[in-house]
Amino acid sequence: MPKIINSDEKRLEICTLAYERLIEEGVAEFSINKFIESLNMSKGQFYYYFKSKEKLIFETLKIKDIEFVEIIKENIVKKSNFLEKLVEYFALILNEEEKIFIDARKIMFESIHLYLNPKYKDEMKSCENTYINMYEIIEGIFEKEIEKGFLKEDSKKAIKVILATIDGMYYHSLIIDDYNLKETIMDYLIETTNQLKR
């Protein structure tokens, strides 16, 4: 009797293997043909699950994003003050110790061109839940600090500015060689914390 394959499980398995390969080889060197060969499946079988290399990359990153969000949430809970929680929130950019974040940064940097390409607008839409979840996390951080009386009542208005500013800092770091991203973000978060405090 032939083995029944669960389509979602197979997609997850392929994405897990793709992520490992993307970390090893990098996005630019990732060969879809070699990858399909390593799966011991035909191209037809592979393209049943993923229509292109780019769709595989987006799906893989989407799955990993869910994992990162959970890790970030768990790490935030362990922190006691507002600044420490913000640093954990931006772990994908700031954490230089944990391999999971170092690898994620590498893939994020190497795949940024896909996110900026209007051709992949639909794939980008699939990443929207990650942004919604992350926004809810930072809102929660602010709400708790307002309740504790640490932050001003209207400090949540600053969230969008903080997110946009740090995104801008990240993009600067991709362009400018000697841009110290971690130091710049830390200085900004400290200054912002002081401005938002009661």
Side-chain angles (χ1 to χ4, degrees), residues 58 112-124:
F58 275 112
I112 200 82
H113 66 285
L114 296 176
Y115 287 91
L116 300 174
N117 189 332
K119 179 179 172 184
Y120 304 116
K121 190 176 178 182
D122 290 342
E123 286 77 6
M124 275 294 295

Side-chain angles (χ1 to χ4, degrees), residues 6 17 39 74 80 86 93-94 116 133 145 148 152 164 188:
N6 179 304
L17 294 169
L39 296 174
E74 288 169 15
S80 58
L86 286 183
I93 296 172
L94 295 173
L116 300 174
N133 292 336
E145 295 301 322
K148 287 179 359 187
K152 296 173 188 168
Y188 172 70

Side-chain angles (χ1 to χ4, degrees), residues 29-178:
E29 299 300 318
F30 179 77
S31 163
I32 195 67
N33 290 329
K34 286 182 185 174
F35 179 66
I36 293 169
E37 279 177 33
S38 74
L39 296 174
N40 291 323
M41 65 169 47
S42 70
K43 284 187 181 182
Q45 288 173 307
F46 174 82
Y47 287 115
Y48 167 78
Y49 295 106
F50 301 97
K51 302 295 180 213
S52 67
K53 172 182 171 177
E54 291 76 19
K55 288 192 184 287
L56 170 64
I57 292 171
F58 275 112
E59 183 72 20
T60 299
L61 294 177
K62 189 171 102 177
I63 289 167
K64 290 308 272 187
D65 282 348
I66 293 165
E67 188 179 331
F68 300 139
V69 169
E70 289 309 309
I71 291 168
I72 288 167
K73 277 177 16 185
E74 288 169 15
N75 289 345
I76 286 170
V77 170
K78 297 173 191 171
K79 299 300 175 185
S80 58
N81 72 52
F82 179 65
L83 183 59
E84 288 175 346
K85 289 177 183 183
L86 286 183
V87 170
E88 281 304 330
Y89 178 84
F90 292 107
L92 200 57
I93 296 172
L94 295 173
N95 189 316
E96 295 172 345
E97 291 150 23
E98 293 181 63
K99 186 177 182 329
I100 190 165
F101 293 115
I102 295 165
D103 289 347
R105 243 187 335 273
K106 175 183 187 272
I107 300 292
M108 189 167 72
F109 173 77
E110 292 178 358
S111 60
I112 200 82
H113 66 285
L114 296 176
Y115 287 91
L116 300 174
N117 189 332
K119 179 179 172 184
Y120 304 116
K121 190 176 178 182
D122 290 342
E123 286 77 6
M124 275 294 295
K125 198 81 175 135
S126 71
C127 300
E128 199 172 315
N129 278 342
T130 300
Y131 288 98
I132 291 167
N133 292 336
M134 289 301 290
Y135 196 86
E136 287 172 358
I137 292 169
I138 198 166
E139 263 192 326
I141 292 170
F142 272 71
E143 285 165 1
K144 284 181 182 163
E145 295 301 322
I146 291 167
E147 283 172 25
K148 287 179 359 187
F150 178 74
L151 294 179
K152 296 173 188 168
E153 286 294 323
D154 65 347
S155 62
K156 276 174 63 178
K157 292 177 184 173
I159 293 174
K160 288 180 181 174
V161 174
I162 292 168
L163 295 176
T165 302
I166 291 182
D167 279 348
M169 290 174 177
Y170 176 70
Y171 289 113
H172 272 78
S173 74
L174 300 179
I175 298 163
I176 302 168
D177 285 338
D178 60 349

